[in-house]
PDB file of all heavy atoms in Angstrom:
ATOM      1  N   VAL B  58      13.043  12.233 -38.109  1.00 92.00           N
ATOM      2  CA  VAL B  58      13.183  10.795 -38.014  1.00 92.00           C
ATOM      3  C   VAL B  58      12.087  10.259 -38.882  1.00 92.00           C
ATOM      4  O   VAL B  58      10.935  10.460 -38.588  1.00 92.00           O
ATOM      5  CB  VAL B  58      13.097  10.298 -36.626  1.00 92.00           C
ATOM      6  CG1 VAL B  58      13.215   8.789 -36.584  1.00 92.00           C
ATOM      7  CG2 VAL B  58      14.310  10.849 -35.731  1.00 92.00           C
ATOM      8  N   LEU B  59      12.410   9.599 -40.030  1.00 90.00           N
ATOM      9  CA  LEU B  59      11.451   9.334 -41.071  1.00 90.00           C
ATOM     10  C   LEU B  59      11.383   7.847 -41.334  1.00 90.00           C
ATOM     11  O   LEU B  59      12.373   7.171 -41.676  1.00 90.00           O
ATOM     12  CB  LEU B  59      11.815  10.132 -42.277  1.00 90.00           C
ATOM     13  CG  LEU B  59      10.935  10.023 -43.435  1.00 90.00           C
ATOM     14  CD1 LEU B  59       9.494  10.559 -43.213  1.00 90.00           C
ATOM     15  CD2 LEU B  59      11.512  10.795 -44.574  1.00 90.00           C
ATOM     16  N   ASP B  60      10.109   7.315 -41.369  1.00 88.00           N
ATOM     17  CA  ASP B  60       9.939   5.923 -41.797  1.00 88.00           C
ATOM     18  C   ASP B  60       9.680   5.992 -43.342  1.00 88.00           C
ATOM     19  O   ASP B  60       9.029   6.895 -43.827  1.00 88.00           O
ATOM     20  CB  ASP B  60       8.658   5.295 -41.080  1.00 88.00           C
ATOM     21  CG  ASP B  60       8.354   3.923 -41.579  1.00 88.00           C
ATOM     22  OD1 ASP B  60       9.263   3.289 -42.168  1.00 88.00           O
ATOM     23  OD2 ASP B  60       7.296   3.471 -41.237  1.00 88.00           O
ATOM     24  N   LEU B  61      10.269   5.050 -44.098  1.00 85.00           N
ATOM     25  CA  LEU B  61      10.067   5.114 -45.506  1.00 85.00           C
ATOM     26  C   LEU B  61       8.752   4.792 -46.003  1.00 85.00           C
ATOM     27  O   LEU B  61       8.196   5.268 -46.926  1.00 85.00           O
ATOM     28  CB  LEU B  61      11.172   4.411 -46.203  1.00 85.00           C
ATOM     29  CG  LEU B  61      12.519   4.977 -46.307  1.00 85.00           C
ATOM     30  CD1 LEU B  61      13.472   4.075 -47.101  1.00 85.00           C
ATOM     31  CD2 LEU B  61      12.552   6.331 -46.969  1.00 85.00           C
ATOM     32  N   GLN B  62       8.154   3.732 -45.286  1.00 81.00           N
ATOM     33  CA  GLN B  62       6.880   3.193 -45.645  1.00 81.00           C
ATOM     34  C   GLN B  62       5.739   3.930 -45.028  1.00 81.00           C
ATOM     35  O   GLN B  62       5.159   3.475 -43.958  1.00 81.00           O
ATOM     36  CB  GLN B  62       6.787   1.637 -45.339  1.00 81.00           C
ATOM     37  CG  GLN B  62       7.806   0.921 -46.037  1.00 81.00           C
ATOM     38  CD  GLN B  62       7.261   0.270 -47.293  1.00 81.00           C
ATOM     39  OE1 GLN B  62       6.072   0.571 -47.659  1.00 81.00           O
ATOM     40  NE2 GLN B  62       8.054  -0.438 -48.080  1.00 81.00           N
ATOM     41  N   ILE B  63       5.360   5.089 -45.537  1.00 83.00           N
ATOM     42  CA  ILE B  63       4.240   5.820 -44.940  1.00 83.00           C
ATOM     43  C   ILE B  63       3.235   6.146 -46.109  1.00 83.00           C
ATOM     44  O   ILE B  63       3.604   6.148 -47.173  1.00 83.00           O
ATOM     45  CB  ILE B  63       4.705   7.123 -44.276  1.00 83.00           C
ATOM     46  CG1 ILE B  63       5.658   7.911 -45.307  1.00 83.00           C
ATOM     47  CG2 ILE B  63       5.409   6.975 -42.986  1.00 83.00           C
ATOM     48  CD1 ILE B  63       5.970   9.342 -44.816  1.00 83.00           C
ATOM     49  N   PRO B  64       1.939   6.283 -45.710  1.00 84.00           N
ATOM     50  CA  PRO B  64       0.949   6.741 -46.696  1.00 84.00           C
ATOM     51  C   PRO B  64       1.486   7.897 -47.588  1.00 84.00           C
ATOM     52  O   PRO B  64       2.113   8.778 -47.005  1.00 84.00           O
ATOM     53  CB  PRO B  64      -0.250   7.071 -45.958  1.00 84.00           C
ATOM     54  CG  PRO B  64      -0.101   6.256 -44.667  1.00 84.00           C
ATOM     55  CD  PRO B  64       1.368   6.334 -44.327  1.00 84.00           C
ATOM     56  N   GLU B  65       1.027   8.003 -48.773  1.00 81.00           N
ATOM     57  CA  GLU B  65       1.507   8.948 -49.750  1.00 81.00           C
ATOM     58  C   GLU B  65       1.541  10.460 -49.225  1.00 81.00           C
ATOM     59  O   GLU B  65       0.682  10.754 -48.357  1.00 81.00           O
ATOM     60  CB  GLU B  65       0.553   9.020 -50.957  1.00 81.00           C
ATOM     61  CG  GLU B  65       0.576   7.784 -51.757  1.00 81.00           C
ATOM     62  CD  GLU B  65       1.837   7.599 -52.537  1.00 81.00           C
ATOM     63  OE1 GLU B  65       2.175   8.555 -53.327  1.00 81.00           O
ATOM     64  OE2 GLU B  65       2.636   6.712 -52.308  1.00 81.00           O
ATOM     65  N   PRO B  66       2.438  11.173 -49.670  1.00 87.00           N
ATOM     66  CA  PRO B  66       3.640  10.881 -50.499  1.00 87.00           C
ATOM     67  C   PRO B  66       4.621  10.035 -49.663  1.00 87.00           C
ATOM     68  O   PRO B  66       4.685  10.296 -48.379  1.00 87.00           O
ATOM     69  CB  PRO B  66       4.191  12.182 -50.886  1.00 87.00           C
ATOM     70  CG  PRO B  66       3.742  13.154 -49.823  1.00 87.00           C
ATOM     71  CD  PRO B  66       2.377  12.711 -49.300  1.00 87.00           C
ATOM     72  N   ASN B  67       5.342   9.149 -50.286  1.00 84.00           N
ATOM     73  CA  ASN B  67       6.192   8.249 -49.551  1.00 84.00           C
ATOM     74  C   ASN B  67       7.430   8.978 -48.962  1.00 84.00           C
ATOM     75  O   ASN B  67       7.687  10.171 -49.261  1.00 84.00           O
ATOM     76  CB  ASN B  67       6.632   7.107 -50.364  1.00 84.00           C
ATOM     77  CG  ASN B  67       7.542   7.435 -51.545  1.00 84.00           C
ATOM     78  OD1 ASN B  67       8.295   8.400 -51.469  1.00 84.00           O
ATOM     79  ND2 ASN B  67       7.508   6.727 -52.650  1.00 84.00           N
ATOM     80  N   GLY B  68       8.164   8.136 -48.177  1.00 86.00           N
ATOM     81  CA  GLY B  68       9.414   8.767 -47.503  1.00 86.00           C
ATOM     82  C   GLY B  68      10.451   9.450 -48.379  1.00 86.00           C
ATOM     83  O   GLY B  68      11.028  10.463 -48.029  1.00 86.00           O
ATOM     84  N   VAL B  69      10.602   8.861 -49.613  1.00 88.00           N
ATOM     85  CA  VAL B  69      11.626   9.468 -50.541  1.00 88.00           C
ATOM     86  C   VAL B  69      11.109  10.846 -50.995  1.00 88.00           C
ATOM     87  O   VAL B  69      11.897  11.815 -50.944  1.00 88.00           O
ATOM     88  CB  VAL B  69      11.784   8.527 -51.839  1.00 88.00           C
ATOM     89  CG1 VAL B  69      12.764   9.205 -52.724  1.00 88.00           C
ATOM     90  CG2 VAL B  69      12.316   7.133 -51.402  1.00 88.00           C
ATOM     91  N   GLU B  70       9.868  10.964 -51.307  1.00 89.00           N
ATOM     92  CA  GLU B  70       9.314  12.213 -51.757  1.00 89.00           C
ATOM     93  C   GLU B  70       9.309  13.259 -50.628  1.00 89.00           C
ATOM     94  O   GLU B  70       9.615  14.463 -50.768  1.00 89.00           O
ATOM     95  CB  GLU B  70       7.836  12.044 -52.279  1.00 89.00           C
ATOM     96  CG  GLU B  70       7.813  11.360 -53.589  1.00 89.00           C
ATOM     97  CD  GLU B  70       6.402  10.764 -53.906  1.00 89.00           C
ATOM     98  OE1 GLU B  70       5.477  11.489 -53.733  1.00 89.00           O
ATOM     99  OE2 GLU B  70       6.340   9.643 -54.404  1.00 89.00           O
ATOM    100  N   VAL B  71       8.996  12.763 -49.469  1.00 91.00           N
ATOM    101  CA  VAL B  71       8.932  13.609 -48.199  1.00 91.00           C
ATOM    102  C   VAL B  71      10.382  14.135 -47.969  1.00 91.00           C
ATOM    103  O   VAL B  71      10.543  15.384 -47.761  1.00 91.00           O
ATOM    104  CB  VAL B  71       8.403  12.920 -46.977  1.00 91.00           C
ATOM    105  CG1 VAL B  71       8.579  13.714 -45.697  1.00 91.00           C
ATOM    106  CG2 VAL B  71       6.974  12.609 -47.144  1.00 91.00           C
ATOM    107  N   THR B  72      11.365  13.298 -48.056  1.00 90.00           N
ATOM    108  CA  THR B  72      12.792  13.700 -47.930  1.00 90.00           C
ATOM    109  C   THR B  72      13.160  14.836 -48.873  1.00 90.00           C
ATOM    110  O   THR B  72      13.604  15.876 -48.489  1.00 90.00           O
ATOM    111  CB  THR B  72      13.693  12.499 -48.106  1.00 90.00           C
ATOM    112  OG1 THR B  72      13.348  11.561 -47.170  1.00 90.00           O
ATOM    113  CG2 THR B  72      15.158  12.909 -47.792  1.00 90.00           C
ATOM    114  N   ALA B  73      12.843  14.561 -50.161  1.00 89.00           N
ATOM    115  CA  ALA B  73      13.246  15.476 -51.188  1.00 89.00           C
ATOM    116  C   ALA B  73      12.571  16.862 -50.943  1.00 89.00           C
ATOM    117  O   ALA B  73      13.231  17.946 -51.109  1.00 89.00           O
ATOM    118  CB  ALA B  73      12.798  15.006 -52.537  1.00 89.00           C
ATOM    119  N   SER B  74      11.302  16.808 -50.567  1.00 89.00           N
ATOM    120  CA  SER B  74      10.530  18.033 -50.361  1.00 89.00           C
ATOM    121  C   SER B  74      11.048  18.836 -49.211  1.00 89.00           C
ATOM    122  O   SER B  74      11.204  20.083 -49.266  1.00 89.00           O
ATOM    123  CB  SER B  74       9.021  17.668 -50.203  1.00 89.00           C
ATOM    124  OG  SER B  74       8.300  18.775 -49.943  1.00 89.00           O
ATOM    125  N   MET B  75      11.300  18.137 -48.080  1.00 91.00           N
ATOM    126  CA  MET B  75      11.859  18.859 -46.930  1.00 91.00           C
ATOM    127  C   MET B  75      13.138  19.487 -47.083  1.00 91.00           C
ATOM    128  O   MET B  75      13.400  20.626 -46.715  1.00 91.00           O
ATOM    129  CB  MET B  75      11.916  17.911 -45.730  1.00 91.00           C
ATOM    130  CG  MET B  75      10.602  17.561 -45.128  1.00 91.00           C
ATOM    131  SD  MET B  75      10.691  16.295 -43.825  1.00 91.00           S
ATOM    132  CE  MET B  75       9.109  16.300 -43.114  1.00 91.00           C
ATOM    133  N   VAL B  76      14.071  18.708 -47.766  1.00 89.00           N
ATOM    134  CA  VAL B  76      15.409  19.224 -48.002  1.00 89.00           C
ATOM    135  C   VAL B  76      15.359  20.390 -48.943  1.00 89.00           C
ATOM    136  O   VAL B  76      16.092  21.373 -48.828  1.00 89.00           O
ATOM    137  CB  VAL B  76      16.297  18.137 -48.552  1.00 89.00           C
ATOM    138  CG1 VAL B  76      17.637  18.646 -48.985  1.00 89.00           C
ATOM    139  CG2 VAL B  76      16.506  17.082 -47.480  1.00 89.00           C
ATOM    140  N   ARG B  77      14.405  20.439 -49.922  1.00 87.00           N
ATOM    141  CA  ARG B  77      14.283  21.546 -50.800  1.00 87.00           C
ATOM    142  C   ARG B  77      13.802  22.750 -50.052  1.00 87.00           C
ATOM    143  O   ARG B  77      14.292  23.836 -50.201  1.00 87.00           O
ATOM    144  CB  ARG B  77      13.210  21.151 -51.956  1.00 87.00           C
ATOM    145  CG  ARG B  77      13.371  22.049 -53.115  1.00 87.00           C
ATOM    146  CD  ARG B  77      12.536  21.432 -54.313  1.00 87.00           C
ATOM    147  NE  ARG B  77      11.266  20.933 -53.907  1.00 87.00           N
ATOM    148  CZ  ARG B  77      10.683  19.773 -54.069  1.00 87.00           C
ATOM    149  NH1 ARG B  77      11.540  18.879 -54.713  1.00 87.00           N
ATOM    150  NH2 ARG B  77       9.451  19.566 -53.727  1.00 87.00           N
TER     151      ARG B  77
END
Side-chain angles (χ1 to χ4, degrees):
Chain B
V58 178
L59 180 65
D60 181 16
L61 282 182
Q62 296 269 0
I63 48 173
E65 292 290 297
N67 67 29
V69 177
E70 291 163 41
V71 168
T72 304
S74 179
M75 286 179 170
V76 171
R77 199 167 48 234

